[in-house]
Amino acid sequence: MLFSDFFKGFKDFIVPLLTLVMLSMGITLDREDFLRILRRPVMIAYGALLHYSVMPLLAFSLSLLFGIGKDLYVGMVLVGSVPSGTASNLITYLAKGDLLYSVSITTFSTLLAPLFTPLWTYILAGRYVHVPFLGMVEDVLKIVLLPVVLGLLIKEFFPKVRHLERFLPYISVSVIGFIIAVVLSLNMENLRGVPFKLFFAVFLHNALGFLLGFAIGRLFGLDKKMSKTLSIEVGIQNSGLAVALAVKHFTPLASLPGAIFSLIQNINGIILAILYKRL
């Protein structure tokens, strides 16, 4: 807000910066993460598909309930349609959840993103705006899947890169923070006129994602540790991807829900971790 003119100049760097984040995610993964998916395919697929069911439908329902405008609606749908965010792994660790289960769901939901993110956006937002389905599929492949695969290959053929792994989460957090700053700077005028109901809708989107993830996990017989993990995996979104897709395919205003969601989910996530730690 104080240096909006400076940050506005980096609008064209949003997609490359997010690609860098996904590349770092690929470097932190290894073959064992994918083998775990093969060993527990049902449980991991259940977690990823629950994520892709709860969050898009919540985005749709809350947008209708609060009657937000067309561009903001598209932004809400985008946030609800993206895969789990890597922050979920840190929140799960702090909450004493099942970290391996968390990493597996994040990985699998990321692999599914080229299909589910454009599909849900097309189904839920296609009636209001033109949704370039194939263009979004191509972009999610370029922004998410290919950098992750490239990160895996770098780690495989250049083992010394492992020494950088401990720094990568800090780099990723800084880059996402920078992306959010760019988005907020692009929406300075819009921010002044944004109704409180948008902030409340985004807050409920995240909070209900956490709540439903835990409740459905317990309903289907998961223990508390796995239910906590499922809760976090459902509620934490790759909001950076939602922002990048909104800026490229829609309007700067459509990127605002993703920016707000990014801030809110991390605050809520830390509070949730403190509560879950006591369960």
Side-chain angles (χ1 to χ4, degrees):
M1 293 177 71
L2 294 175
F3 305 100
S4 59
D5 289 338
F6 168 77
F7 285 106
K8 282 179 182 177
F10 291 92
K11 176 184 176 181
D12 294 336
F13 288 84
I14 290 176
V15 171
L17 287 172
L18 183 60
T19 302
L20 178 65
V21 172
M22 301 314 298
L23 177 69
S24 70
M25 177 185 173
I27 293 173
T28 59
L29 297 173
D30 53 42
R31 282 179 291 180
E32 185 60 30
D33 294 312
F34 294 91
L35 291 175
R36 278 197 300 272
I37 294 175
L38 296 176
R39 294 190 196 109
R40 305 168 70 184
V42 175
M43 287 303 302
I44 292 167
Y46 169 72
L49 292 175
L50 183 65
H51 172 92
Y52 278 118
S53 301
V54 169
M55 296 307 281
L57 294 176
L58 273 178
F60 171 73
S61 302
L62 289 170
S63 296
L64 291 184
L65 179 65
F66 287 95
I68 62 177
K70 181 181 71 174
D71 289 332
L72 294 176
Y73 170 77
V74 172
M76 285 283 289
V77 167
L78 278 170
V79 173
S81 303
V82 294
S84 299
T86 53
S88 63
N89 307 146
L90 174 60
I91 300 299
T92 298
Y93 173 77
L94 295 175
K96 293 189 174 181
D98 189 328
L99 185 57
L100 295 179
Y101 187 44
S102 173
V103 171
S104 299
I105 294 177
T106 302
T107 304
F108 192 54
S109 70
T110 300
L111 295 176
L112 294 176
L115 171 62
F116 280 100
T117 299
L119 182 62
W120 270 119
T121 306
Y122 179 79
I123 291 172
L124 298 178
R127 70 180 72 179
Y128 302 108
V129 295
H130 170 66
V131 177
F133 180 81
L134 293 179
M136 287 184 66
V137 170
E138 182 181 350
D139 281 336
V140 176
L141 284 170
K142 289 179 180 177
I143 297 171
V144 177
L145 203 56
L146 290 182
V148 169
V149 173
L150 181 59
L152 285 164
L153 293 174
I154 290 173
K155 187 173 183 178
E156 184 72 23
F157 291 104
F158 301 96
K160 289 185 178 180
V161 80
R162 294 174 183 271
H163 299 301
L164 299 175
E165 280 189 49
R166 57 179 176 161
F167 301 108
L168 292 178
Y170 302 103
I171 294 172
S172 296
V173 167
S174 301
V175 171
I176 290 294
F178 190 86
I179 290 172
I180 299 309
V182 174
V183 170
L184 293 178
S185 72
L186 292 170
N187 284 284
M188 281 300 296
E189 294 302 319
N190 295 323
L191 275 170
R192 294 189 180 96
V194 167
F196 174 75
K197 62 184 178 181
L198 173 64
F199 290 90
F200 192 49
V202 172
F203 172 82
L204 284 179
H205 191 193
N206 178 233
L208 289 174
F210 286 143
L211 178 63
L212 290 173
F214 184 83
I216 294 173
R218 294 295 286 166
L219 184 66
F220 281 82
L222 300 186
D223 61 27
K224 285 185 179 180
K225 188 172 184 178
M226 291 189 72
S227 295
K228 289 191 295 184
T229 305
L230 193 59
S231 165
I232 294 165
E233 284 299 318
V234 169
I236 296 287
Q237 301 292 90
N238 187 338
S239 51
L241 177 59
V243 164
L245 292 174
V247 169
K248 181 163 185 182
H249 293 288
F250 301 102
T251 64
L253 185 57
S255 67
L256 192 54
I260 296 172
F261 195 99
S262 183
L263 296 173
I264 287 177
Q265 74 175 353
N266 286 293
I267 296 170
N268 287 347
I270 291 170
I271 295 171
L272 187 72
I274 294 170
L275 295 174
Y276 276 171
K277 201 171 181 180
R278 299 174 181 175
L279 284 180

